[in-house]
Amino acid sequence: MDISQLISGNLGDSGILNQLGQSVGANPNQVQQLMQLGLPTLTQALAQNASTPAGAQSLANALDQHQDEPVDNLASFFQNVDTADGAKILQHVFGGSTAQVQSNLAQQTGLQTNQVSGLLAQLAPLLLGVLGKQKKEQHLDSSGVAGLLGSLMGQTGNSSAMTMATQMLDSSKNGSILDEIGGFLGRLFGKR
């Protein structure tokens, strides 16, 4: 499974939506809304973080840690997902904007903030696992990882989900997410 397949449909399976919904006490429709906004938000933040050589290298190192995740069986993956690791990933990716991003997603989906954080803590390791698998299969170096994220952003860049993702990340409302997440990668994915 590649990242575009993940975002475009594999997570839309009713069994997966029910499983995720039960894990946080949410209905499947809300879970699907969160995934449609949350995955592009995570992807955009990762792409922004990987836009510098140091950031791309840090992300490549993190993907190596997640490259053997069992992402081809989503039901099994979510039964065994390490949400504590997922919460750390979110903190590294969003830094000081984590609470604001989660609050914005909660407002857009009708979920409680704790439900949003619970779902994102499951989706973040999945995203890194899928990206890690692609990195491994395609023998990508750090610039290749940045290119992979860039091409993914290009595929979905004009979508309403990506527009919403930018709004989720732009807490200063200046039209740029650089000030919110640009500096976070210096500490991103260090030893956890």
Side-chain angles (χ1 to χ4, degrees):
M1 169 189 344
D2 71 22
I3 190 68
S4 58
Q5 290 172 326
L6 176 70
I7 291 176
S8 67
N10 286 2
L11 283 170
D13 176 77
S14 61
I16 298 299
L17 293 174
N18 283 321
Q19 181 180 354
L20 287 170
Q22 289 173 2
S23 74
V24 297
N27 73 56
N29 290 334
Q30 289 174 308
V31 173
Q32 188 168 33
Q33 284 182 317
L34 178 81
M35 286 190 299
Q36 290 170 345
L37 294 173
L39 280 171
T41 300
L42 280 167
T43 304
Q44 187 167 4
L46 287 173
Q48 180 60 46
N49 285 331
S51 65
T52 67
Q57 185 60 56
S58 293
L59 179 57
N61 293 341
L63 296 182
D64 288 341
Q65 297 172 23
H66 291 270
Q67 68 185 5
D68 295 318
E69 299 279 354
V71 296
D72 290 325
N73 183 337
L74 294 180
S76 176
F77 178 87
F78 286 125
Q79 284 175 347
N80 300 300
V81 68
D82 182 350
T83 56
D85 184 50
K88 289 177 186 176
I89 293 168
L90 294 174
Q91 192 60 44
H92 288 308
V93 171
F94 297 129
S97 296
T98 303
Q100 183 63 48
V101 170
Q102 291 174 349
S103 175
N104 289 347
L105 286 168
Q107 290 173 12
Q108 293 295 319
T109 60
L111 292 166
Q112 299 298 315
T113 305
N114 66 328
Q115 292 173 310
V116 169
S117 62
L119 289 168
L120 288 179
Q122 296 177 73
L123 294 173
L126 176 66
L127 182 59
L128 290 191
V130 171
L131 289 169
K133 184 176 181 178
Q134 284 191 276
K135 177 186 182 295
K136 181 180 180 179
E137 289 174 353
Q138 297 175 22
H139 307 288
L140 300 176
D141 61 9
S142 60
S143 64
V145 168
L148 175 66
L149 284 166
S151 69
L152 180 60
M153 298 302 296
Q155 292 170 14
T156 57
N158 294 324
S159 72
S160 59
M162 289 313 266
T163 301
M164 292 291 288
T166 299
Q167 293 171 356
M168 298 297 160
L169 295 170
D170 185 16
S171 61
S172 63
K173 306 297 181 211
N174 65 359
S176 171
I177 61 171
L178 295 175
D179 46 347
E180 281 78 11
I181 62 176
F184 298 153
L185 208 61
R187 62 181 185 274
L188 178 63
F189 301 122
K191 295 287 182 191
R192 291 190 290 232

